[in-house]
Amino acid sequence: MKRYVIQQMALLCLVSVIMILTNLIGYDMPLTDSIIGILVLDGIALCGLAISKYMSRFIHLPSMMYVSLTALLLACPISPVQAWIVETTSQVAFMAPVTALGAFAGISLSKDLKNFVKMGWKMVFITLLVISGTFIFSALVADVVLKLTHAV
Amino acid sequence: MKNAKTMVRKYWKVYVAAVVLAVICDMIGTVKINTGIGTLTLFPMVFAVILGGLLGPDVLKLLDTEQSKAGGTLVLVVLAPFMAKMGISAGANLGKLVSVGPALILQEFGNLGTVFLSLPIALLLGLKKEAIGACYSINRDSNLGLTTDIYGPDAAETKGTFAVYIVGSVIGTVFISILAGVVASWNIFHPLALGMASGVGSGSMMLAATGVLGEMYPAYADDIMMLGGTSDMLTGITGIYMGTFVGLPLARKLYAWLEPKLGKKKHRKGTK
C-alpha cells in the first residue's frame, strides 16, 4: 500500500511537469499559480487512488471514480475548503493534462500499429460506425431528455 | 531502492519522449482548417497522438513494446488530475449537475444505439459472429475483457471486439475529434448534450471530443468538460453491466434476426 502510494506520487510528479508546461505554453497561465493548482489536483488524485487501492479488496470499481468523487466532495457547497479548492485550481486549464495524455496515448498505441495494418478496411469502417453511433445516439438521447426535463 | 531503479529504467525514455512531444505540440498550438463539411479543429493533443504513434516499435523504433506499454500506464496517471479537476467543477456546480441528472443517466443507454446502426451494416459487409463482438459496444479495455471472459480468447466474437479495440486505439482519438466537430456543426444537438455524449468510455477519446466542443462553444466550455468527464465516469462504472445485460443480448438477438435476411442476400448476390 505504502509502496503503491509512493510510486503513484512519483509518477504524478513526473507528468505534472508536462502539465505545467502545457499550462504555460498553451494557455498562458502564470507559473506559480499553475504549480500550486496542479499540486492541489495531484493531492486529490493521490487520495482518490489510495482509496481506490484500499477499496479494491472489497469491490472493483474504476479508480477514476474515486478520484472524481473525492474532488466532488471537497468542492461541494457544504465543504469547508470549497472556496480554497476552487480558487487554487481555477488557474489550471481544463485542457492542461490533454497534450501529455495525447503523447502517452500515442506512445501506447504505437505497439498496436502492426496489428492495425493487418485489419481489413471492413473493420476500420465498422469501427468508425461504432464510434459514430455511440456518440450520436448518446447525444440524441441526452438532447431529448434535456429538452423534456426543461433543463436547457 | 532497487524498485526505484527499475521504475526509472522502465519510464525514462517514455517520459523524455512525452516532454519533447508536449512542448513541440503546444508550440504548434490549435490549428483550424475550414473544410466543406465544417471547421476541422486540430488540437495539440491530436498532433501528440500521431507523433507518439510514430515513435514506437513499428515505425521509428525509438521505443520498444515494453516502453509503449509503460505509456499506457501513464495515460491513467495523467487522467487522474483531470478527473480531480472535473470533480471539483462538478462539486462546485452540484445544482447544475442535478438538474441535468436524468439526461446524464439516460444517455448511457444511447451508447447502445450503435448496435442498430453498425450491426446491420456489418452483416451486409459479410461479417458473421465477429459482428456481435464488434458492434455491441465501443469496445474499449473493459469491453475487451468482458468479451474474452464470456466467449473465450479464440471465439469469433472476441476477434470482432479485438479488431474494433485495435482500430479504435489507433484512430479513435483523432476520429472522434473530427466527428464531434462535424456533428456540432449540424446545430441539431444542444452543446450540453454533445458534452454528455463525449463520455464514451475512453478518457482520451472523451478529452479529444470535449476539447473540440469547448473550442466551438466557449460559453459552455467548462460545463461541456464537466459533463463529458461525469458521463465518462458513469460509462466506466456501468459499462460492464450494460454490456453484459443489455448490449450483448441485444446484439445476439439482432444477429439471430437479421443474419438470415442480410447474410442470405449477400450470399445470393455472390452466386449470381
Side-chain angles (χ1 to χ4, degrees):
Chain A
M1 182 76 188
K2 204 174 148 197
R3 223 171 79 183
Y4 174 80
V5 173
I6 293 174
Q7 191 190 351
Q8 292 300 316
M9 195 157 71
L11 291 177
L12 274 171
C13 287
L14 282 179
V15 298
S16 297
V17 175
I18 311 182
M19 285 183 240
I20 292 167
L21 284 174
T22 305
N23 211 35
L24 290 175
I25 304 173
Y27 300 91
D28 298 318
M29 301 285 199
L31 177 67
T32 347
D33 290 350
S34 305
I35 295 174
I36 296 170
I38 298 254
L39 282 179
V40 172
L41 292 179
D42 283 350
I44 297 171
L46 200 61
C47 288
L49 290 172
I51 298 170
S52 158
K53 182 79 179 168
Y54 178 76
M55 292 299 286
S56 64
R57 282 182 234 174
F58 311 107
I59 181 169
H60 199 78
L61 284 168
S63 49
M64 293 307 139
M65 188 201 80
Y66 292 102
V67 174
S68 48
L69 279 184
T70 310
L72 190 147
L73 288 176
L74 286 172
C76 75
I78 54 161
S79 154
V81 290
Q82 184 200 24
W84 183 78
I85 292 267
V86 173
E87 170 69 31
T88 49
T89 55
S90 66
Q91 294 298 313
V92 180
F94 244 122
M95 295 291 282
V98 174
T99 311
L101 193 108
F104 290 125
I107 291 170
S108 159
L109 75 82
S110 66
K111 68 178 183 302
D112 297 328
L113 279 179
K114 225 174 228 157
N115 279 320
F116 173 72
V117 181
K118 278 188 225 145
M119 300 288 165
W121 66 270
K122 278 183 192 171
M123 278 340 270
V124 175
F125 184 65
I126 298 287
T127 306
L128 298 184
L129 276 182
V130 168
I131 297 174
S132 310
T134 308
F135 183 79
I136 294 171
F137 281 103
S138 295
L140 184 69
V141 174
D143 195 70
V144 169
V145 179
L146 278 175
K147 276 169 191 152
L148 285 178
T149 53
H150 302 288
V152 290
Chain B
M1 285 306 275
K2 210 171 133 202
N3 194 24
K5 234 180 205 167
T6 47
M7 255 176 77
V8 170
R9 204 174 301 147
K10 190 171 163 195
Y11 289 113
W12 79 267
K13 232 175 155 181
V14 179
Y15 181 68
V16 172
V19 174
V20 174
L21 282 179
V23 171
I24 294 175
C25 297
D26 281 328
M27 294 214 282
I28 299 174
T30 306
V31 176
K32 285 185 191 168
I33 303 164
N34 280 312
T35 63
I37 44 168
T39 313
L40 186 59
T41 309
L42 294 174
F43 269 93
M45 176 198 188
V46 171
F47 302 126
V49 170
I50 296 169
L51 293 175
L54 295 178
L55 294 179
D58 296 337
V59 188
L60 294 175
K61 297 184 174 48
L62 287 173
L63 301 167
D64 58 25
T65 310
E66 210 49 47
Q67 286 158 337
S68 174
K69 275 189 192 143
T73 320
L74 289 170
V75 168
L76 274 180
V77 179
V78 185
L79 206 52
F82 173 82
M83 280 304 192
K85 171 86 182 168
M86 187 283 281
I88 289 168
S89 186
N93 300 293
L94 209 53
K96 212 186 263 172
L97 195 62
V98 171
S99 74
V100 298
L104 198 54
I105 291 164
L106 288 173
Q107 61 85 31
E108 287 297 315
F109 289 92
N111 289 347
L112 298 164
T114 194
V115 179
F116 299 104
L117 176 74
S118 52
L119 193 87
I121 296 176
L123 292 177
L124 281 175
L125 288 175
L127 266 73
K128 295 291 165 195
K129 292 237 158 165
E130 307 91 68
I132 296 176
C135 302
Y136 84 99
S137 77
I138 194 150
N139 292 314
R140 299 322 307 149
D141 302 64
S142 61
N143 305 112
L144 182 61
L146 178 67
T147 332
T148 317
D149 197 37
I150 293 179
Y151 295 101
D154 297 320
E157 286 90 343
T158 310
K159 289 198 180 106
T161 303
F162 184 70
V164 175
Y165 173 80
I166 292 290
V167 179
S169 29
V170 176
I171 56 175
T173 39
V174 177
F175 176 68
I176 202 163
S177 68
I178 298 170
L179 177 75
V182 171
V183 174
S185 67
W186 296 346
N187 271 326
I188 46 174
F189 299 122
H190 193 275
L192 295 184
L194 292 169
M196 291 180 194
S198 306
V200 289
S202 148
S204 44
M205 286 197 209
M206 179 267 292
L207 284 171
T210 48
V212 170
L213 293 171
E215 190 82 13
M216 296 179 79
Y217 304 106
Y220 289 103
D222 280 7
D223 289 342
I224 288 172
M225 291 281 172
M226 175 184 86
L227 292 174
T230 318
S231 157
D232 199 56
M233 184 184 91
L234 279 177
T235 311
I237 301 166
T238 60
I240 290 274
Y241 304 102
M242 283 281 207
T244 315
F245 299 113
V246 195
L248 271 176
L250 189 68
R252 270 202 298 258
K253 277 255 160 63
L254 210 59
Y255 179 84
W257 182 55
L258 286 176
E259 205 279 329
K261 295 176 189 162
L262 300 176
K264 216 193 218 160
K265 210 178 270 169
K266 166 106 187 158
H267 181 68
R268 218 181 279 151
K269 244 184 242 162
T271 50
K272 251 178 202 173

